[in-house]
């Protein structure tokens, strides 16, 4: 993207020689101009970039900012951005956001997620057994990192796993920075249409799953059939795309820091802390979180006017040295790590974070217990990272064990 001499172009490209780190430009801006303009659309839009942890929390926790990316001035990455369905509530403000989120709150309570842990452990065991029986090198993404969260979210929702290639194709479009607004809208519609049929099926033949319980809320007049379908589609998309990338990136990171692997093999508290540090260190929300000011508000000493867009690159805020000592170092014993913003902050904080944590806490220790000789089968410079997607990750990861 082009930029003026004083307004740098917004970029998501991480350095080739340090692909687990944020773009160096943003670390410099965090120190020198923590609230500054960046350019989009070859300079035709100049939202604010907020890079310090304290300022990021201030924006994310303030009712003076909107999550609705259809507002004029919103920091969209394409000029033909389309409205998202109500069920994709992360892109809506209250009261729609609150109403849609409320329908799912019980599904992600810690107690309910804990009840899923045996199923997650079983699926992990089955996939690791299948991987270990291959004659390597094998693609870790294809054989483990992607199918594990896909299986989990399908089991949670009551969606037949054999449909997962269709879901993955739609998800790929939704996170692709090069997809047009029309292509993204079609992917939303494809997911919604499939899940609408499933909602109607679950009404006739209910099960013990999220889609069945959403169908019941339709019958109670709480939501519409389309809301139930779109909520299910949102969970299906978010529930496997993010965790799959986090599993693969965490594996790359640990293999690059073998001295840290013993910390992931400790007791439950040690594993939980290690997972939080991986979440902080990697922060896979690649584009940052985006907001539009509703009112004039001062952030970091800078006045952001109503109607101006803001981008919060949480992977940069999570490397703020004012909050985290030696933030560019991976330290799986870091004391204050739960202050990270990997799941956002405020009313839009990720609803599914208990499930993501549970999967990582189960998967990573078991992976390194079962495959202690695991290693990347190609030089690091040959690992293909997802630079042009909304969620950072690796496209393929050849491994041996």
């Amino acid at each position: 993207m082009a930029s003026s001499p004083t307004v740098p172009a917004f970029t998501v490209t991480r350095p080739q020689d340090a692909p687990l780190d944020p773009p160096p430009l943003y670390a410099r801006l965090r120190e020198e101009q923590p609230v500054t303009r960046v350019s989009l659309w070859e300079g035709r839009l100049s939202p604010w970039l907020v890079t310090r942890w304290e300022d990021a929390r201030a924006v994310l926790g303030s009712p003076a900012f909107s999550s609705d990316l259809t507002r004029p001035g919103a920091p969209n990455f394409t000029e033909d951005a389309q409205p998202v369905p109500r069920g994709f509530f992360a892109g809506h403000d209250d009261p729609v956001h609150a109403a849609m989120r409320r329908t799912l709150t019980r599904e992600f309570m810690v107690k309910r997620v804990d009840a899923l842990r045996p199923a997650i452990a079983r699926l992990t065991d089955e996939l690791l057994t299948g991987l270990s029986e291959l004659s390597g090198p094998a693609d870790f993404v294809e054989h483990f990192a992607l199918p594990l969260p896909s299986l989990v979210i399908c089991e949670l929702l009551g969606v037949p796993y054999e449909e997962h290639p269709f879901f993955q194709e739609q998800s790929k479009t939704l996170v692709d920075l090069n997809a047009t607004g029309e292509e993204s809208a079609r992917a939303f519609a494809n997911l919604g249409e499939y899940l609408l049929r499933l909602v109607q099926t679950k009404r006739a033949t209910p099960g013990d799953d999220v889609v069945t319980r959403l169908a019941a809320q339709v019958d109670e007049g709480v939501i519409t059939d389309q809301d139930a379908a779109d909520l299910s589609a949102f969970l299906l998309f978010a529930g496997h795309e993010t965790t799959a990338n986090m599993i693969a990136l965490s594996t790359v990171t640990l293999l690059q820091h073998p001295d840290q692997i013993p910390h992931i093999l400790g007791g439950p508290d040690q594993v939980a802390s290690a997972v939080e540090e991986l979440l902080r260190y990697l922060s896979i929300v690649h584009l940052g979180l985006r907001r539009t000011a509703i009112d004039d508000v001062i952030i970091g000493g800078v006045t952001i006017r109503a109607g101006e867009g803001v981008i919060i690159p949480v992977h940069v805020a999570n490397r703020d040295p004012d909050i985290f000592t030696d933030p560019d170092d991976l330290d799986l014993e870091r004391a204050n790590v739960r202050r990270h913003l990997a799941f956002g902050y405020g009313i839009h904080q990720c609803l599914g974070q208990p499930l993501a944590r549970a999967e990582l806490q189960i998967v990573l220790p078991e992976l390194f217990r079962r495959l202690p000789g695991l290693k990347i089968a190609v030089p690091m410079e040959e690992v293909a990272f997802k630079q042009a997607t909304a969620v950072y990750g690796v496209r393929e990861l050849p491994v041996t064990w």
Side-chain angles (χ1 to χ4, degrees):
M1 297 177 184
S3 63
S4 74
T6 56
V7 180
F10 178 78
T11 182
V12 296
T13 304
R14 304 197 188 199
Q16 187 172 1
D17 60 347
L20 302 178
D21 294 339
L25 168 66
Y26 296 151
R28 178 173 61 79
L29 289 175
R30 188 184 56 225
E31 301 306 314
E32 299 174 2
Q33 295 176 277
V35 181
T36 189
R37 298 274 193 182
V38 288
S39 71
L40 294 174
W41 310 349
E42 298 182 335
R44 296 192 299 282
L45 186 68
S46 297
W48 295 96
L49 188 80
V50 173
T51 48
R52 290 195 312 175
W53 180 92
E54 183 178 356
D55 297 334
R57 284 226 323 179
V59 172
L60 295 173
S62 172
F65 292 92
S66 168
S67 292
D68 181 358
L69 293 176
T70 64
R71 284 178 172 269
N76 290 300
F77 298 109
T78 61
E79 295 186 68
D80 61 344
Q82 304 293 312
V84 298
R86 283 162 42 99
F88 284 67
F89 53 84
H92 290 271
D93 297 326
D94 290 343
V96 171
H97 165 263
M100 294 294 102
R101 186 182 178 106
R102 195 179 303 121
T103 64
L104 294 170
T105 300
R106 290 174 61 86
E107 303 296 341
F108 293 97
M109 294 174 65
V110 173
K111 183 177 180 180
R112 179 159 282 180
V113 170
D114 283 346
L116 285 171
R117 284 178 176 264
I120 297 170
R122 171 178 54 80
L123 294 169
T124 299
D125 176 71
E126 292 172 358
L127 287 171
L128 284 177
T129 297
L131 178 63
S132 66
E133 291 174 350
L134 297 174
S135 56
D139 181 8
F140 182 76
V141 174
E142 177 186 352
H143 293 287
F144 186 78
L146 184 56
L148 187 281
S150 296
L151 283 162
V152 171
I153 200 66
C154 285
E155 186 157 316
L156 180 70
L157 288 171
V159 172
Y161 180 68
E162 55 268 23
E163 301 285 353
H164 77 276
F166 165 76
F167 305 133
Q168 288 167 9
E169 186 63 30
Q170 310 314 309
S171 295
K172 182 179 177 181
T173 300
L174 291 175
V175 300
D176 186 353
L177 297 188
N178 296 316
T180 65
E182 182 179 348
E183 289 169 337
S184 295
R186 185 68 250 165
F188 278 125
N190 288 341
L191 284 172
E193 288 166 7
Y194 173 84
L195 271 304
L196 183 60
R197 293 193 296 272
L198 186 62
V199 168
Q200 294 162 349
T201 298
K202 292 291 184 178
R203 180 177 289 112
T205 55
D208 182 14
D209 53 62
V210 172
V211 177
T212 294
R213 289 187 283 275
L214 286 172
Q217 293 191 58
V218 174
D219 294 339
E220 294 164 4
V222 177
I223 54 176
T224 67
D225 271 329
Q226 191 62 58
D227 287 338
D230 290 335
L231 284 161
S232 302
F234 178 49
L235 292 182
L236 196 62
F237 157 66
H240 87 265
E241 185 69 35
T242 51
T243 309
N245 284 299
M246 190 64 201
I247 290 171
L249 275 181
S250 295
T251 301
V252 171
T253 302
L254 290 166
L255 291 174
Q256 292 298 297
H257 298 82
D259 59 309
Q260 298 279 306
I261 291 176
H263 299 304
I264 208 77
L265 298 173
D269 290 344
Q270 196 173 7
V271 170
S273 179
V275 164
E276 297 305 316
E277 171 66 352
L278 287 164
L279 288 163
R280 180 202 70 85
Y281 184 77
L282 295 169
S283 299
I284 62 172
V285 179
H286 198 33
L287 294 182
L289 302 175
R290 292 172 287 161
R291 301 289 187 266
T292 307
I294 300 171
D295 304 308
D296 293 356
V297 60
I298 297 175
I299 298 293
V302 175
T303 300
I304 298 176
R305 303 291 182 187
E308 293 182 336
V310 179
I311 303 173
I312 306 103
V314 293
H315 56 315
V316 181
N318 279 338
R319 299 287 187 97
D320 189 336
D322 289 340
I323 306 300
F324 304 104
T325 303
D326 298 323
D328 293 325
D329 294 341
L330 180 73
D331 178 5
L332 297 190
E333 293 188 304
R334 189 177 297 278
N336 68 338
V337 67
R338 279 191 174 268
R339 302 183 76 188
H340 70 74
L341 302 175
F343 292 115
Y345 181 74
I347 64 170
H348 286 278
Q349 193 173 33
C350 175
L351 179 66
Q353 59 184 290
L355 180 59
R357 286 187 167 106
E359 291 185 53
L360 293 168
Q361 290 167 10
I362 291 167
V363 164
L364 294 175
E366 193 62 17
L367 171 65
F368 286 96
R369 286 193 192 102
R370 291 279 299 274
L371 302 175
L374 187 69
K375 61 182 180 181
I376 301 172
V378 297
M380 267 296 286
E381 57 267 25
E382 294 182 19
V383 176
F385 288 85
K386 296 179 178 180
Q387 295 285 8
T389 61
V391 181
Y392 196 54
V394 292
R395 298 189 184 282
E396 296 178 353
L397 185 63
V399 294
T400 58
W401 49 92

